[in-house]
Amino acid sequence: MTSGARRRLRGAASRSLPFLGALTGVVTDAPVVALTFDDGPDPRSTPQILDLLAAHGARATFFVLGTQAAAHPGLVNRMVEEGHCVGTHGWEHRSLLLEAPPGVVARARWRRDLIARGAASLGYAASGLYRPAYGHRNLGVQLAARSLGHEVVGWTTSAGDWSGEDPDVISGRVLDGLEPGAIVLFHDALADAFDPSFFDRAGSRAAVGMVLEAIEGRLRCVTVPDLVRYGAPRRRFFYPKPAADQLPSPPEVHPT
């Protein structure tokens, strides 16, 4: 199939199946935004994020990895008990576009299994929300999620908090043009990184605090399920397929 034919097919799918697009925000004038956190829970960093959210009366949505949820169920329970929403980030942090078995049926089953295993690890806490690792998705990923009854969630704004930047830079990236209805991507943990020093979440945590202070009294932080009650959903159908060398690789020894 030529590139032009693929573009026409994607365009037709987007028009005929708009509900399959990932939720990237809502259209609303209400002063609400949704902060989201990926890759946790991690006992070194997630409790501090939860403390920070509690101090500001903010609610958030955590997209957790199945492997991490299984290892730290108490943190998942704490998220729920403190009024946050818990969605799945899959069983483990791998792109469902780059690592797939051959054959349409085999790929569909593989994707569905990894999404289902991630959700099952959450037990009663599962919300039915799913964010693919790296945000990578295509029609196959979205169909696999939908077949399990999951809403695929993307983001409006990414904090870009995985590369060890200064908190001022991270918070400025979020606050620049932040509007009602936005979904913001942060990381309370990192599944992989280009540099082992990036696993330290202190800079990201400080940036979250700066954002919460900057929007206090102007925007209220709610969960994704609450956000969609305020307006019509914004959706994006496709996410560009990455090259294999664009993804970070975990170091040989993950810090403990």
Side-chain angles (χ1 to χ4, degrees):
M1 183 183 293
T2 66
S3 60
R6 282 194 294 270
R7 284 195 296 272
R8 288 192 293 274
L9 178 62
R10 290 176 179 178
S14 298
R15 290 189 296 275
S16 61
L17 299 172
F19 66 91
L20 282 175
L23 177 70
T24 58
V26 302
V27 181
T28 183
D29 292 325
V32 289
V33 295
L35 300 188
T36 66
F37 296 87
D38 285 8
D39 291 10
D42 188 313
R44 297 163 298 178
S45 53
T46 302
Q48 297 174 36
I49 291 292
L50 289 169
D51 290 345
L52 189 57
L53 293 169
H56 288 270
R59 298 291 181 268
T61 302
F62 290 83
F63 289 95
V64 309
L65 293 170
T67 51
Q68 291 296 100
H72 309 291
L75 285 175
V76 176
N77 291 339
R78 179 181 169 185
M79 292 171 185
V80 175
E81 290 168 357
E82 296 185 3
H84 305 294
C85 177
V86 181
T88 181
H89 204 31
W91 175 247
E92 53 192 348
H93 204 270
R94 63 167 66 184
S95 171
L96 298 189
L97 302 187
L98 294 178
E99 303 178 40
V104 174
V105 174
R107 281 197 298 273
R109 288 175 176 169
W110 176 76
R111 287 165 172 159
R112 181 184 170 98
D113 178 63
L114 288 182
I115 297 170
R117 288 176 65 194
S121 71
L122 304 181
Y124 76 92
S127 65
L129 301 182
Y130 168 62
R131 175 174 285 161
Y134 308 105
H136 296 166
R137 61 188 185 273
N138 59 11
L139 180 58
V141 172
Q142 289 166 170
L143 285 173
R146 281 290 181 174
S147 72
L148 295 166
H150 294 335
E151 171 80 72
V152 180
V153 181
W155 56 84
T156 313
T157 301
S158 172
D161 61 340
W162 54 78
S163 59
E165 291 181 306
D166 187 89
D168 289 329
V169 174
I170 299 172
S171 61
R173 185 179 293 126
V174 172
L175 292 170
D176 184 24
L178 183 63
E179 297 179 346
I183 297 175
V184 182
L185 168 64
F186 277 104
H187 291 78
D188 59 318
L190 283 184
D192 46 35
F194 290 104
D195 186 305
S197 67
F198 297 166
F199 286 109
D200 185 351
R201 298 284 78 209
S204 178
R205 185 169 61 252
V208 172
M210 294 168 72
V211 168
L212 289 171
E213 290 175 4
I215 67 176
E216 192 151 18
R218 182 169 63 89
L219 292 170
R220 186 162 57 91
C221 295
V222 300
T223 65
V224 169
D226 284 340
L227 185 73
V228 298
R229 298 189 179 103
Y230 285 92
R234 296 183 186 273
R235 297 187 184 278
R236 181 176 177 182
F237 198 74
F238 285 102
Y239 187 96
K241 182 176 180 179
D245 61 3
Q246 291 178 328
L247 302 183
S249 299
E252 293 185 5
V253 179
H254 193 291
T256 58

